[in-house]
C-alpha cells in the first residue's frame, strides 16, 4: 500500500525464469527511486513504476498546508465586522427614521418632489431604500484596504531582502522572503522554537578529542592537526611518539572503515586505478595536501574520517567492495562485506569487513555510547575497567559540549559470519515484520564487542548566538531549544550559548517511562518552581515528551513550561518538534510561535509554527524553502525580529487603523447629512470623490508611511530589546487603540461637517457678488477639507518624515487639485453637464471657505496633537533615540544599527540611577 | 569633461540615495513633540487666531441684513365676506391660479451701503432631496437636446400628449415664482427701488452651463414641441419679457433655482439693487420701505416659510458670526493650552517629564 513515509518501502521481487524457476529478491528503500530523483553514474538500469500520480510519496507528503494568517489579518476582520454591524445599524436607523418622520402624508405634501401618491408602502420600497442607504454608507468599509495592504506587504518584504546587515557573507545569502503575508508577524513572536544543530551551532564538526584504551588524546591545533596525549592525571598535553601506539592505529583504522563517507569523484580521475599510484608514493609530509575530498551525509562521520586522514590513516575510497586504506604510508585493503546502516533505534552503525592481508573478518561498530557500551561484552576486569574509564571520558566530553561516539569491534569467525549473512538476507526478504527480524539479527551480530575508544567532536557555536539569545530573553521572547542531541550535550550547549544560566534552577523531566511517573514528576516540578523570584530552566527528552503530551498531563506540563525561562527538549524527532510547537500554539493563551531551523528535520516544526524561520545551513536549504523567512545565520534573527518585525508591525497596524479611521472621518458626515436631506439617501459628496477618496486621495501617503515609517530608530530597537514588548500581543491593534482611532475619526467628522455647516448655514459662506453656494460646492468643500485633514493626520502619526513621505503627501494634494481643476473645469461636453462644474474654482473664490478650512483643520487635529504630545512626553525611549538632543526634533541620518553590548549595559544603568534619585 | 564628471557625480549621488533608501537610512526629520517644544506653537496659534476671529466677527457685524418673513402676509387684493383681509396663503390654497398681492412695510434703521442684494429665503424646503436633486436634464438646459428627455425628469418629463416639458424635471417645475418688489416710502410718496435681475447666477452657469437651443425663442423655433412645466403659468421663453438675453434656459432666475441648495434652509439671490440709479448710488438710505409680493408660491403644505432678505456683503459673504466665534474660541483654547504647558514647564521642568517617563518598560538597575 502506498504511504507517506519516505524511508520505508518493503517489497519482494519474483522473477519467473523460462523454465518455471523463480528467483526471489528483497526490495527496500535502496531499490526505490523517488519521483524527482536523479540517477547518476550508470548507463542502464531496469526499472518498474510502482507508484504513480497521487500515490507517489511526493504527492502523499504534500499535505495541504493550511494558510498562515497573521495576527493583523485576524484583528482586521474583527474590526471589519464591527464596522459592518455599525453600518447595518446606521442603515436600519436611517430607514426607520425615513419612514417614521417622512411618512407618505408628509412626502405627499412636499409637492415639489413628485405628484401625490396613494400607493401603499411595500416591503420592496423599504428594501430599495435600505439598499440605497447601503450604497452611500458602505464607504465606511475600506474596500481598498485589502489591495493596498497587499501592495504594502509586498513592497515591505523588499526592504527586508535588501537589508545588508542581515545578509550573510557567502553567495546568495540575502534574506529570503517566501511569503509577504507575515511581515508583521516578526514583531509578534512570543515563543521561539529553535533547532540546535546548524541553527545555534555552525554544523561544522571538528574532531577534538578521543579516548583510546583509557588514554585521552586531544587535537591541539586545528589547522595542522597535531594530536597530543593527555596525561591521565594532570591532563598535561604531551607530544606523541613519532610511531603511533598500536591501539591508536587500530582505533583510527576502525574509524576510517566504519562509515558511509564517499571520496569525491572530482579528486579521482576516471579510469584511475584504485588509490592511484601517484598518491600512494606521495611523502607523508605532504599528506595534508593530498587528503582526498570527502563527502558525507553526516558531518560527524566526515569530521572523523578527515581526522583519521590527518593522523596518517587515509581512507582512499572504495571500489566494488574493496576498501583501500593508507595506514602510515602502507596501503591496506579490506573487503566490505556488509553495512548495517545507522538507525535511530539502534543508535549505531556497523560494517563487516575482511582484512585482505590476514583474512580476518571484523565487525566494526560506532554509535551513541549508550548503545555501544551496552553491546560490549563483559569480558575480563580489564575490559570492564576500560568501559568504565571510557564512559567517564565520554561524560567529560559531553560536559564540554562535544558530541560523543563510542567505537567497538568484534572479530567474527568465517562460519559465524556466513551464518549471520544467511540470516540477514532471509530477514531482509520478508515482507511482513522485516524490520523486527533484521533487528534481531543485527542485535545478535552487534554483541560482545570489544570497546576501542570514544571520540569527541565539537560543534562550533554560531557567531553572536549568546547575544542574540540574551536579547531575545530581554525582549520577553521565550526560547525553547529543540534538538535531536542527547540530554548532556544539549544541556551543555544550552549553557555555553547562554540559554541556560548558572543562576537558573534546572528542572529535569527525562527518562520517564510511564504516565504515572510523568504525572508525579510534573507535579513535583510544579512545586519546585512555585517560587516567584527564581528563574527556572527545563530539560525534557523526546521519550518523556510523548508521555507529557498525553491529554491528562498536557495542561500541567504547559503551565510548567510557561513558568520556565528556558526550555531544552532533547532527543526529539521531527514530528515531536512539530507536536511541541502545536502544544504551545494551541494552548489557552495561543501565543504567537516562531520556529527556526536549518534542516529537513525542522520542516514540520517550521510549518506548524505561526512563523517559520529558516537558516541557510550546511544541510541544504530545505528549511529555508519551507519557511516563511530565511536568513543566513541565527544572529540575523535579532534584527529581523527587533527591527524589521517591530517596524513592519507598527507600519502595518497603523496602516490598518488609519484605513478604518479615514473612512470613518469621510463617511460619517454622510450619515449626519442624511438628517438634513429628509433621509432621502442623497450623498453629500459627488461621485468622483466618492470613488477616488480611497484610491488616489488618501492612499499614497499612508502607503509610504507603511513603507518608510520608523517609529523608533533601528539602533535603539537593537540595543533595547525590551522595546519589542511594546508591540507584543498585537498592542497597536488593541480594541482600546481601535476605539481611540475611531473616536478621532468621529471627532474629525463632527468638526468638519458641523463646522462647515455652521459656516455655510443659510448660504452665508459668501461667494463674490452676493452669489450663494450649492449642494455640490458644500460637498466638495467637505471632501477637500477631509482629504487634507486625514492626510495631515497620517503625517502627524509619523515619527520619521523623509522626503519620500513628504513628497507623497505633496503629490497627493497636487493630484487631488489637478483632478478637480480638470474635472470641474474642462469646458467641453460631458463635464459641463455635471452639476459640480466650476465648483472647485468657486472654493478658491471664497475667502470665508478657505478661512473655515484653516480653523476647522486646526480644531480637528488639536486633540491629535495633544495625544501626540502626551505620547512623546511620556516616551523616554523615543527621546533617547535622538541622542538626548532637546528641541523640536533632529534631522539625522540613521547610524549603523549594529549594536554592541557595552552600550546596552551602559544605557541600562541610567534609568536605574534615576529611580534611586527619586 | 565637467559635464561627464557631473553626471557621474549625480549617478553616485543617486546610487547613494538608492543605497540609503534600500537600507532604510534616509535622512528624516524626526520631530519630538513635547510640552515645552510645542509651547510656542500654541501661543502662535492663539495669538494669530484670536485677533483674526475678532476681525472676522467685525466684518460679519458690519454686514447689514434684514429678514422679513412674509409667509403669512395679508392680501391687499382679497378680502373675506366680512371685509377682513385674507392671508395670501389661504387665497392661493383655494385657487392656485389666483393673483394675490401683499404688502409689508419695514424700516431700515441704518444705511445699507452698497452693494445691496435682495434674496428670497425658503425654510423646510428639501432642495437636497435625492429624488429632487437628480430630477433635471442638463443637456436640455445646454440646448443640446431638444427632442428627447432624460428619464431622470420623471414624472415631470412629458405631458400626456408626449410633449417635452421645457425645462423638464422636478427642480425646474418647482421654480420659485413669487415676484418681489421694493418701494422706498419718502414723505408719503413711494419710489420703486431699482432692481437688476442679471449677474445673479454663477458666471459658469451664465456663460457655459445654460444655453438656449438654436432658433427663435418661441413655440415654433427653439422650443418647438415643448410645453411649459405643469406647475408653471408661463412658457420658459417668457421668463423675462423685457430682456431676450435673459429668457429661455438662459434666464438667471432659473439658473439660480437650478443650483440645489445644500440644506433645507437656504437663500437664493433674487435681485441686485441697481446702484447706478440716482438716489441709490451709495446703497439704501435709512427710512421706511415697503415690500410688495405677488404671492404665488405655496409653502405651507410642507410647513415651509418664505423670507425676503435684504443684505449687504463683506468679503466674507453674508452675515454669519460663526467663523469669527470659532476662531476666537479655538484661539483661546490654544492660548489656554499654551499657558497650561508653560506652567508645567516652569513648575516641573524636565523633572516632570522624567517622572512621567517611568513606566513598565523602564528597566530596573541590577
Amino acid at each position: 500500500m502506498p504511504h507517506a513515509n519516505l524511508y520505508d518501502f518493503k517489497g519482494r521481487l519474483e522473477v519467473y525464469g523460462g523454465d518455471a524457476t523463480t528467483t526471489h529478491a528483497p526490495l527496500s528503500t535502496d531499490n526505490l527511486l523517488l519521483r524527482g530523483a536523479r540517477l547518476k553514474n550508470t548507463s542502464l538500469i531496469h526499472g518498474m513504476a510502482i507508484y504513480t500520480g497521487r500515490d507517489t510519496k511526493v504527492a502523499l507528503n504534500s499535505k495541504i498546508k493550511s494558510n498562515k494568517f497573521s495576527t493583523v489579518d485576524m484583528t482586521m476582520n474583527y474590526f471589519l465586522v464591527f464596522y459592518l454591524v455599525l453600518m447595518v445599524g446606521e442603515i436600519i436607523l436611517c430607514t426607520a427614521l425615513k419612514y417614521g418622520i417622512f411618512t407618505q402624508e408628509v412626502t405627499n405634501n412636499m409637492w415639489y418632489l413628485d405628484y401625490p401618491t396613494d400607493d401603499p408602502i411595500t416591503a420592496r420600497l423599504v428594501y430599495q431604500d435600505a439598499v440605497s442607504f447601503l450604497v452611500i454608507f458602505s464607504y465606511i468599509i475600506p474596500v481598498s484596504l485589502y489591495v493596498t495592504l497587499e501592495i504594502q506587504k509586498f513592497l515591505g518584504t523588499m526592504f527586508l531582502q535588501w537589508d545588508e546587515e542581515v545578509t550573510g557573507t557567502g553567495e546568495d545569502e540575502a534574506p529570503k522572503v517566501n511569503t509577504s503575508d507575515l511581515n508583521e508577524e516578526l514583531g509578534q513572536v512570543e515563543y521561539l522554537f529553535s533547532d540546535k544543530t546548524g541553527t545555534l551551532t555552525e554544523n561544522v564538526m571538528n574532531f577534538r578529542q578521543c579516548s583510546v584504551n583509557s588514554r585521552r588524546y586531544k587535537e591541539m591545533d586545528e589547522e595542522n592537526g597535531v594530536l597530543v596525549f593527555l596525561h591521565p592525571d594532570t591532563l598535561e598535553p604531551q607530544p606523541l611518539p613519532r610511531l603511533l601506539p598500536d591501539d591508536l592505529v587500530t582505533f583510527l583504522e576502525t574509524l576510517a572503515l566504519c562509515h558511509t563517507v564517499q571520496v569525491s569523484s572530482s579528486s579521482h580521475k576516471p579510469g584511475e586505478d584504485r588509490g592511484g599510484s601517484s598518491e600512494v608514493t606521495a611523502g607523508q609530509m605532504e599528506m595534508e595536501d593530498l587528503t582526498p575530498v570527502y563527502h558525507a551525509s553526516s558531518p560527524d562521520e566526515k569530521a572523523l574520517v578527515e581526522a583519521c586522514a590527518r593522523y596518517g590513516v587515509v581512507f582512499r575510497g572504495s571500489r566494488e567492495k574493496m576498501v583501500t586504506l593508507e595506514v602510515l604510508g602502507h596501503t591496506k585493503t579490506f573487503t566490505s562485506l556488509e553495512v548495517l546502516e545507522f538507525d535511530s533505534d539502534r543508535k549505531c552503525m556497523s560494517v563487516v569487513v575482511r582484512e585482505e592481508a590476514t583474512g580476518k573478518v571484523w565487525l566494526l561498530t560506532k554509535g551513541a555510547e549508550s548503545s555501544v557500551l551496552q553491546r560490549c561484552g563483559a569480558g575480563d576486569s580489564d575490559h570492564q575497567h576500560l568501559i568504565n574509564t571510557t564512559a567517564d571520558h565520554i561524560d567529560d566530553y559531553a560536559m564540554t559540549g562535544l558530541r560523543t561516539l563510542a567505537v567497538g569491534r568484534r572479530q567474527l569467525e568465517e562460519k559465524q559470519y556466513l551464518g549471520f549473512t544467511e540470516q540477514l538476507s532471509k530477514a531482509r526478504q520478508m515482507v511482513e515484520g522485516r524490520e523486527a527480524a533484521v533487528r534481531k539479527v543485527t542485535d545478535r551480530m552487534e554483541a560482545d564487542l570489544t570497546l576501542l575508544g570514544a571520540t569527541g567532536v565539537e560543534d562550533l557555536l554560531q557567531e553572536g548566538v549568546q547575544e542574540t539569545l540574551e536579547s531575545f530573553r530581554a525582549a520577553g521572547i521565550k526560547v525553547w531549544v529543540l534538538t535531536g542531541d542527547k540530554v548532556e550535550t544539549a544541556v551543555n550547549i544550552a549553557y555555553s550559548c547562554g540559554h541556560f544560566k548558572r543562576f537558573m534552577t534546572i528542572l529535569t523531566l527525562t527518562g520517564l517511562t510511564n504516565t504515572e511517573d510523568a504525572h508525579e514528576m510534573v507535579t513535583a516540578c510544579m512545586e519546585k518552581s512555585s517560587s516567584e523570584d527564581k528563574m527556572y530552566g527545563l530539560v525534557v527528552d523526546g521519550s518523556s515528551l510523548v508521555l507529557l503530551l498525553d491529554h491528562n498531563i498536557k495542561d500541567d506540563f504547559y503551565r510548567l513550561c510557561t513558568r520556565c525561562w528556558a526550555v531544552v527538549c532533547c532527543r526529539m524527532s521531527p514530528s515531536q518538534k512539530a507536536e511541541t510547537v502545536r502544544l504551545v500554539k494551541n494552548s489557552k493563551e495561543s501565543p504567537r510561535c516562531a520556529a527556526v531551523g536549518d534542516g529537513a528535520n525542522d520542516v514540520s516544526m517550521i510549518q506548524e509554527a505561526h512563523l517559520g524561520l529558516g537558516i541557510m545551513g550546511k544541510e541544504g536549504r530545505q528549511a529555508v524553502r519551507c519557511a516563511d523567512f530565511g536568513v543566513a545565520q541565527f544572529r540575523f534573527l535579532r534584527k529581523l525580529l527587533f527591527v524589521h518585525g517591530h517596524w513592519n508591525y507598527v507600519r502595518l497596524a497603523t496602516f490598518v487603523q488609519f484605513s478604518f479611521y479615514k473612512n470613518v472621518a469621510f463617511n460619517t458626515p454622510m450619515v449626519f447629512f442624511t438628517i438634513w436631506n429628509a433621509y432621502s439617501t442623497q450623498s453629500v459628496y459627488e461621485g468622483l470623490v466618492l470613488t477616488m477618496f480611497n484610491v488616489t486621495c488618501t492612499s499614497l501617503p499612508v502607503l509610504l508611511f507603511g513603507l518608510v515609517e520608523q517609529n523608533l530608530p533601528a539602533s535603539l530597537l537593537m540595543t533595547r530589546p525590551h522595546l519589542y514588548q511594546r508591540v507584543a500581543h498585537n498592542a497597536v491593534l488593541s480594541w482600546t487603540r481601535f476605539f481611540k482611532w475611531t473616536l478621532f475619526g468621529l471627532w474629525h467628522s463632527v468638526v468638519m461637517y458641523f463646522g462647515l455647516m455652521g459656516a455655510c448655514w443659510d448660504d452665508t459662506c459668501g461667494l463674490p457678488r452676493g452669489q450663494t453656494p450649492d449642494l455640490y460646492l458644500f460637498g466638495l468643500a467637505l471632501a477637500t477639507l477631509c482629504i487634507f485633514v486625514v492626510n495631515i493626520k497620517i503625517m502627524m502619526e509619523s515619527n520619521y518624515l523623509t522626503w519620500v513621505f513628504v513628497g507623497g503627501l505633496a503629490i497627493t494634494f497636487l493630484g487631488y487639485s489637478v483632478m478637480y481643476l480638470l474635472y470641474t473645469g474642462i469646458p467641453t461636453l460631458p463635464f459641463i453637464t455635471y452639476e459640480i462644474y466650476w465648483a472647485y474654482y468657486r472654493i478658491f473664490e471664497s475667502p470665508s471657505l478657505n478661512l473655515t478650512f484653516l480653523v476647522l483643520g486646526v480644531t480637528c487635529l488639536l486633540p491629535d496633537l495633544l495625544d501626540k504630545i502626551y505620547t512623546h512626553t511620556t516616551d523616554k525611549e523615543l527621546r533617547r533615540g535622538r541622542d538626548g538632543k532637546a528641541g523640536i526634533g533632529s534631522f539625522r541620518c540613521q547610524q549603523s544599527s549594529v549594536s554592541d553590548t557595552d552600550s546596552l549595559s551602559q544605557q541600562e544603568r541610567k534609568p536605574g540611577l534615576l529611580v534611586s534619585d527619586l | 569633461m565637467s559635464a561627464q564628471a557631473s553626471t557621474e557625480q549625480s549617478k553616485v549621488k543617486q546610487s547613494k540615495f538608492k543605497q540609503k533608501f534600500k537600507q532604510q537610512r534616509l535622512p528624516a526629520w524626526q520631530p519630538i513633540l513635547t510640552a515645552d517644544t510645542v509651547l510656542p506653537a500654541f501661543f502662535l496659534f492663539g495669538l494669530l487666531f484670536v485677533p483674526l476671529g475678532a476681525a472676522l466677527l467685525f466684518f460679519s457685524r458690519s454686514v447689514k441684513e434684514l429678514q422679513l418673513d412674509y409667509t403669512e402676509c395679508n392680501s391687499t387684493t382679497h378680502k373675506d365676506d366680512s371685509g377682513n383681509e385674507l392671508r395670501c396663503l389661504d387665497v392661493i390654497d383655494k385657487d392656485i391660479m389666483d393673483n394675490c398681492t401683499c404688502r409689508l412695510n419695514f424700516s431700515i434703521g441704518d444705511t445699507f451701503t452698497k452693494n445691496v442684494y435682495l434674496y428670497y429665503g425658503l425654510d423646510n424646503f428639501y432642495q437636497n432631496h435625492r429624488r429632487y436633486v437628480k430630477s433635471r436634464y442638463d443637456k436640455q438646459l445646454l440646448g443640446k437636446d431638444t427632442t428627447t428627455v432624460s428619464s431622470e425628469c420623471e414624472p415631470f418629463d412629458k405631458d400626456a400628449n408626449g410633449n417635452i416639458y421645457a425645462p423638464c424635471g422636478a427642480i425646474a417645475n418647482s421654480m420659485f415664482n413669487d415676484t418681489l418688489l421694493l418701494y422706498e416710502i419718502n414723505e408719503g410718496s413711494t419710489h420703486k427701488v431699482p432692481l437688476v435681475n442679471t449677474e445673479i447666477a454663477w458666471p459658469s452657469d451664465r456663460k457655459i452651463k445654460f444655453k438656449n437651443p438654436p432658433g427663435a425663442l418661441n413655440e415654433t423655433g427653439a422650443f418647438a414641441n415643448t410645453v411649459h412645466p405643469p406647475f408653471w403659468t408661463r412658457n420658459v421663453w417668457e421668463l423675462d419679457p423685457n430682456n431676450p438675453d435673459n429668457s429661455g434656459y438662459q434666464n438667471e432666475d432659473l439658473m439660480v433655482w437650478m443650483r440645489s441648495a445644500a440644506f433645507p434652509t437656504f437663500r437664493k439671490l433674487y435681485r441686485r439693487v441697481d446702484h447706478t440709479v440716482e438716489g441709490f448710488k451709495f446703497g439704501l438710505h435709512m427710512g421706511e420701505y415697503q415690500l410688495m409680493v405677488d404671492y404665488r408660491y405655496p409653502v405651507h403644505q410642507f410647513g415651509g416659510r418664505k423670507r425676503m432678505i435684504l443684505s449687504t456683503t463683506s468679503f466674507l459673504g453674508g452675515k454669519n458670526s460663526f467663523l469669527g466665534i470659532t476662531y476666537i474660541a479655538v484661539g483661546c483654547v490654544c492660548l489656554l493650552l499654551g499657558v497650561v504647558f508653560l506652567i508645567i514647564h516652569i513648575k516641573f521642568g524636565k523633572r516632570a517629564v522624567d517622572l512621567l517617563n517611568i513606566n513598565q518598560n523602564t528597566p530596573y538597575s541590577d
Side-chain angles (χ1 to χ4, degrees), chain A residues 205-211 216-223 226-228 230 303-304 307 310-311 397 400-403 455-460:
Chain A
M205 302 296 166
N206 277 321
F207 174 81
R208 301 297 298 164
Q209 299 204 28
C210 62
S211 155
R216 306 172 116 194
Y217 300 89
K218 189 175 182 185
E219 181 167 273
M220 286 310 279
D221 191 340
E222 268 176 58
E223 276 171 40
V226 181
L227 199 65
V228 294
L230 293 183
L304 290 174
R310 278 204 293 278
Y311 307 130
Y397 295 160
T400 48
L402 300 180
R403 295 157 73 90
T455 58
V457 173
E458 183 187 43
D459 191 359
L460 277 175

Side-chain angles (χ1 to χ4, degrees), chain B residues 214-285:
Chain B
L217 297 181
N218 54 38
E219 66 269 40
T220 53
F223 299 103
N225 304 321
T226 63
V227 289
H228 65 73
F231 292 1
W232 286 24
T233 50
R234 287 181 291 178
N235 284 310
V236 71
W237 60 89
E238 293 160 350
L239 283 175
D240 188 354
N242 306 320
N243 183 359
D245 285 345
N246 193 24
S247 235
Y249 299 146
Q250 286 171 351
N251 179 268
E252 292 199 27
D253 285 326
L254 178 67
M255 293 179 200
V256 168
W257 182 255
M258 293 302 288
R259 287 233 158 249
S260 307
F263 296 102
T265 296
F266 62 90
R267 68 173 67 175
K268 285 185 179 289
L269 187 53
Y270 184 65
R271 295 291 180 262
R272 298 182 293 126
V273 173
D274 189 351
H275 294 296
T276 56
V277 174
E278 198 61 48
F280 297 94
K281 285 242 155 102
F282 300 101
L284 292 182
H285 300 295

Side-chain angles (χ1 to χ4, degrees), chain A residues 658 696-706 791 794 805 808-810 812:
Chain A
F658 178 79
T696 62
C697 301
T698 54
S699 58
L700 186 63
V702 71
L703 182 64
L704 288 172
F705 177 94
N791 281 320
I794 189 68
F805 179 66
L809 271 179
T812 302

Side-chain angles (χ1 to χ4, degrees), chain B residues 100-128:
Chain B
C100 182
T101 308
C102 63
R103 289 165 190 273
L104 282 140
N105 289 338
F106 62 96
S107 61
I108 291 177
D110 210 350
T111 311
F112 277 45
T113 45
K114 72 169 186 182
N115 295 318
V116 183
Y117 298 97
L118 178 64
Y119 299 88
Y120 57 88
L122 293 175
D123 290 342
N124 208 22
F125 188 107
Y126 287 92
Q127 249 206 329
N128 57 12

Side-chain angles (χ1 to χ4, degrees), chain A residues 434-598:
Chain A
R434 181 191 292 179
E435 271 151 29
V438 171
R439 177 77 195 270
K440 238 184 199 168
V441 182
T442 53
D443 275 349
R444 249 180 292 149
M445 286 171 80
E446 293 164 341
D448 289 332
L449 298 174
T450 313
L451 186 66
L452 290 174
T455 58
V457 173
E458 183 187 43
D459 191 359
L460 277 175
L461 269 188
Q462 271 193 20
E463 196 187 337
V465 165
Q466 283 109 322
E467 291 91 332
T468 309
L469 284 175
E470 194 61 44
S471 60
F472 282 165
R473 196 194 310 281
I477 301 171
K478 291 193 171 177
V479 182
W480 289 32
V481 173
L482 311 179
T483 173
D485 282 357
K486 67 171 170 300
V487 179
E488 293 78 15
T489 316
V491 169
N492 282 308
I493 292 278
Y495 273 116
S496 67
C497 70
H499 184 53
F500 278 173
K501 298 278 182 189
R502 293 290 160 200
F503 55 79
M504 277 185 182
T505 312
I506 306 297
L507 310 170
T508 320
L509 285 174
T510 51
L512 304 178
T513 45
N514 60 57
T515 325
E516 288 77 48
D517 278 3
H519 202 100
E520 246 167 62
M521 284 294 281
V522 169
T523 324
C525 284
M526 290 285 274
E527 275 165 23
K528 243 201 254 173
S529 64
S530 53
S531 160
E532 287 291 327
D533 51 331
K534 269 187 175 171
M535 282 170 106
Y536 298 96
L538 181 69
V539 183
V540 188
D541 68 0
S543 53
S544 307
L545 196 72
V546 176
L547 296 169
L548 293 168
L549 293 179
D550 190 271
H551 285 283
N552 300 323
I553 322 176
K554 211 172 176 178
D555 292 339
D556 282 343
F557 175 60
Y558 173 70
R559 244 176 297 143
L560 178 65
C561 290
T562 51
R563 283 190 194 174
C564 296
W565 264 104
V567 177
V568 172
C569 303
C570 339
R571 288 292 185 223
M572 301 284 276
S573 71
S575 60
Q576 276 180 331
K577 286 184 178 180
E579 210 166 317
T580 313
V581 173
R582 202 177 309 134
L583 166 79
V584 176
K585 190 174 110 175
N586 295 342
S587 66
K588 228 186 297 159
E589 295 89 0
S590 67
R592 310 306 288 177
C593 301
V596 53
D598 72 317

